[in-house]
Amino acid sequence: MKKLLLLALTAVSLTASAQNSASNKAISAKADALQDKIIAWRRDFHEHPELGNREVRTSGIIAKHLKSLGIEVQTGIATTGVVGILKGGKPGPVVALRADMDALPVTERVPLPFASKVKTQYNGQEVGVMHACGHDSHMAILMGVAEVLAGMQKDLRGTVKFIFQPAEEGAPAGENGGAEQMVKEGVLENPKVDVIFGLHINSQTEVGKIVYRPGGTMAGVSDLQITVKGRSAHGAYPWSSIDPVVVSAQIISSLQSIVSRNVNVTENPAVVTIGVIQGGSRFNIIPESVKMQGTVRYFTEYDEKLVTDNVRRIATKTAEAYGATAEVMLPFSNHYPVTFNDVALTAKMLPSLEAAAGKENVMLRPPVTGAEDFSFFQQKVPGIFFFLGGMPKGGNSITAPSHHTPDFYLDESGFTLGVKALCNLTLDYMNGSKGK
C-alpha cells in the first residue's frame, strides 16, 4: 500500500513538474514577443519622469494599459497608486506583484535620445528629474507581465493583483505615501493577498542574471537627528563655553564603536553614519548648539534595538560628561523594516527563477545595506524580493554607474527576463497551491 501511494505521489509530482515546464516555455515565448513594447514603455517613462506622489501621467498610462487587457483597475490609492485585479478562470491563491513608479530629483547626464529633460521644484529648489533607480523598467516589466497573464486568464488557478506603487523613495515633506500607505489603505485586502513578489533592476549586476537572498536581504533603516546643546562664547575664550562642536566630534567618533565593538558582524552587518553636521555661523564664535543627522541600518530586530539603544546612550552620556545635553530623535522622520524574504517560500520558488534565467545565472548574494519599502508588504504577507541584472555584458560592477546618480544606465535587453521570472513565480505558486 505504501509503495502504491509513493508511486502515485511521484506520478503527481512528475505531472506537475511537466506542466510547470510547459508553462515556463510558453511564458518565455510570450515575453520575448513583447520585448519591443516593454522597451518602448520604459523609454516613455524615462523621458517623462515624475517624483513621488506626483506620478499623474505615469499612473494614467498604466491604468489605461491594464483596462485594455480587461483587468479590473483601481486608481488613486496612496495618492497616485494603481492596482489591477486579474481573476483567473480557476480557484486558487491571490498573488500580488509590485512595481514602484517614482523618479528622483537627479539631473540626467547620460547621452540617450530619450534622456529626461524634466525639471521641477523640490525642497524649494529647481531640480532635474530622472529615473535614476530603474523604476521606469520595473513598471514596463510589470505591464508586460500583466499582458502575458491576461492572455492566460482562463487557465490561471487564482487571482493576480498588480500593485503599481508611488513614492518608494519617500513621500514629499508633510505627505504620506509609499508601500506603508498602500498597506494602510488596504491594498493587501479585498481580495486578501496570500503572497507577494517583487524585483529591482541592478545596474551593477550583469544582464541575464538574477541574484537573491533568503532571510534579511535589504537592511532595515531609521534616520536620526541629534541636537547637542552647550553654552556659546567668544572663540578667543573657550573656557567660558560648553563647546557643542567638541562634544559633537566626540559623539561622532564614539558612535563608530557600535558596529566595531557591539554588533556581531559575523552574523549580520550594520551601519551607523552621520551625514549632516550643522553648527555655528562665524569662525570666532563658539555656537550654542550643533545639529547632526544620519542613518542607522540593521538586519534583525535584535540588532535594531542594540544599535538604536547604543546611539542614544553614547550621545546623551557623552554630552553629559562635558556638561552639555543631547536630544536624540531616532527614528527622526522615516523607518523601514528589514526587507525579509520568507526562507521557506524562497526555497520553494527558487526553481521558478532558475527556469527563467538558467540555473547557472541565478546566484546567492550578500545582504544589501540599502533599504526598500517593499518590506512593509512583507510584514503582512510572505514575499520574495530579488534583483535583476541591468549592466551590459562584460561590464565592471565596480565602475558601472550606481543607482541614484546622474550617470545611471541600464541595458534594456534584460527586461524580458524580469517578465519571465515574475510570470514563472506567479504560475508555479498557483499550480503548487491547493485551490480555495
Side-chain angles (χ1 to χ4, degrees), residues 77-79 176-186:
I77 300 171
T79 307
N176 296 317
E180 184 177 21
Q181 187 62 28
M182 292 198 96
V183 170
K184 287 179 179 178
E185 294 186 18

Side-chain angles (χ1 to χ4, degrees), residues 216 220 267-269 298-306 338 340:
E267 294 179 353
N268 289 299
Y298 35 78
F299 284 86
T300 67
E301 289 184 2
Y302 176 85
D303 283 344
E304 177 181 3
K305 187 175 189 305
L306 174 71
V338 175
F340 188 90

Side-chain angles (χ1 to χ4, degrees), residues 119-400:
K119 294 187 180 298
T120 191
Q121 291 292 313
Y122 181 79
N123 284 345
Q125 299 180 20
E126 185 177 69
V127 295
V129 184
M130 177 190 176
H131 272 293
C133 200
H135 298 183
D136 50 349
S137 65
H138 302 168
M139 292 182 285
I141 287 168
L142 193 54
M143 288 168 71
V145 172
E147 189 156 334
V148 171
L149 295 181
M152 308 170 71
Q153 183 173 6
K154 64 182 178 62
D155 296 318
L156 291 180
R157 298 178 180 274
T159 297
V160 187
K161 185 174 279 192
F162 302 96
I163 299 174
F164 290 86
Q165 176 206 312
E168 189 280 327
E169 302 289 356
E175 298 182 24
N176 296 317
E180 184 177 21
Q181 187 62 28
M182 292 198 96
V183 170
K184 287 179 179 178
E185 294 186 18
V187 75
L188 298 178
E189 306 295 332
N190 303 315
K192 185 175 177 60
V193 170
D194 293 290
V195 68
I196 188 165
F197 302 121
L199 61 74
H200 204 300
I201 199 84
N202 188 271
S203 66
Q204 294 167 309
T205 297
E206 191 173 72
V207 70
K209 298 186 184 300
I210 288 173
V211 291
Y212 76 99
R213 183 176 185 81
T217 188
M218 295 187 76
V221 59
S222 295
D223 64 348
L224 66 92
Q225 178 171 288
I226 301 172
T227 303
V228 178
K229 295 181 180 180
R231 184 169 64 239
S232 180
H234 193 297
Y237 315 112
W239 49 84
S240 299
S241 74
I242 297 176
D243 191 341
V245 177
V246 171
V247 176
S248 297
Q250 293 295 331
I251 290 172
I252 292 169
S253 207
S254 297
L255 289 178
Q256 303 314 304
S257 69
I258 296 173
V259 174
S260 66
R261 291 296 178 269
N262 300 121
V263 176
N264 185 345
V265 293
T266 65
E267 294 179 353
N268 289 299
V271 172
V272 179
T273 293
I274 299 298
V276 175
I277 307 172
Q278 296 173 329
S281 59
R282 200 170 191 277
F283 71 94
N284 63 347
I285 300 175
I286 294 172
E288 187 173 54
S289 66
V290 170
K291 185 177 292 183
M292 296 174 277
Q293 292 181 338
T295 182
V296 296
R297 295 169 188 250
Y298 35 78
F299 284 86
T300 67
E301 289 184 2
Y302 176 85
D303 283 344
E304 177 181 3
K305 187 175 189 305
L306 174 71
V307 170
T308 56
D309 284 354
N310 274 281
V311 168
R312 292 188 181 98
R313 178 178 55 80
I314 287 171
T316 56
K317 296 300 182 182
T318 301
E320 183 181 332
Y322 284 85
T325 61
E327 178 188 23
V328 181
M329 299 177 70
L330 174 60
F332 170 54
S333 65
N334 68 66
H335 171 264
Y336 285 7
V338 175
T339 303
F340 188 90
N341 286 338
D342 184 274
V343 176
L345 180 66
T346 303
K348 176 183 176 182
M349 303 313 300
L350 181 58
S352 303
L353 297 177
E354 293 173 342
K359 192 170 184 177
E360 69 282 3
N361 292 316
V362 179
M363 297 163 291
L364 191 66
R365 73 168 300 158
V368 178
T369 49
E372 240 289 346
D373 75 351
F374 188 81
S375 54
F376 286 104
F377 298 124
Q378 290 177 311
Q379 280 193 318
K380 301 297 182 181
V381 298
I384 298 175
F385 192 74
F386 63 95
F387 298 87
L388 178 71
M391 181 180 70
K393 285 187 179 295
N396 186 326
S397 61
I398 296 173
T399 59

